[in-house]
Amino acid sequence: MEIGIIIEFNEENGSGVIGNWNERKYILHEYNRSDLKKGDIVIYDCGALQNYHNNERIALYCYNIYRLKDKKDLILKSLETKLFSDFSSLICLVFPEFIDKVI
């Protein structure tokens, strides 16, 4: 799973683009999402579409998209396993009550 931010979002059809901290951009693969908006910090899985003729990566996409603030239990468990240790300051921004656990 990755953490990123919605950098573009079309509310009419629920499609958009998510960016992450590695400057990668992912196409939001779950359409008609009315629960998301530009600027939301999200947690998601990602994949790549391949061109089967030369096995070249042609697009990055994301799925299983959830707003970070809606996944408090998952984030709390991940702090114990250091799964999202690279995002500790972002996690503390969304969940200030986790500061003692992160530090």
Side-chain angles (χ1 to χ4, degrees):
M1 294 195 94
E2 301 262 346
I3 294 178
I5 189 166
I6 297 179
I7 56 176
E8 293 178 29
F9 193 71
N10 182 331
E11 292 182 14
E12 289 180 18
N13 65 12
S15 64
V17 176
I18 294 176
N20 75 9
W21 315 120
N22 294 327
E23 298 182 8
R24 290 191 189 114
K25 292 182 181 169
Y26 297 89
I27 297 167
L28 194 146
H29 193 61
E30 298 174 355
Y31 302 108
N32 300 318
R33 292 290 301 261
S34 59
D35 59 324
L36 300 174
K37 65 182 185 314
K38 183 177 178 178
D40 279 347
I41 298 169
V42 293
I43 189 169
Y44 59 93
D45 289 313
C46 55
L49 297 174
Q50 300 287 110
N51 181 335
Y52 289 102
H53 295 292
N54 59 10
N55 206 23
E56 180 183 344
R57 182 181 292 168
I58 57 175
L60 298 172
Y61 67 94
C62 55
Y63 56 97
N64 292 337
I65 304 158
Y66 301 97
R67 290 182 302 170
L68 184 65
K69 66 182 182 178
D70 296 337
K71 289 295 181 181
K72 186 173 184 176
D73 291 340
L74 174 66
I75 296 301
L76 183 57
K77 288 177 189 173
S78 77
L79 293 176
E80 297 167 4
T81 63
K82 307 288 187 212
L83 177 64
F84 295 117
S85 58
D86 293 343
F87 303 102
S88 56
S89 58
L90 181 63
I91 290 169
C92 289
L93 180 66
V94 176
F95 303 109
E97 64 272 23
F98 290 169
I99 290 175
D100 290 340
K101 295 184 184 330
V102 171
I103 295 177

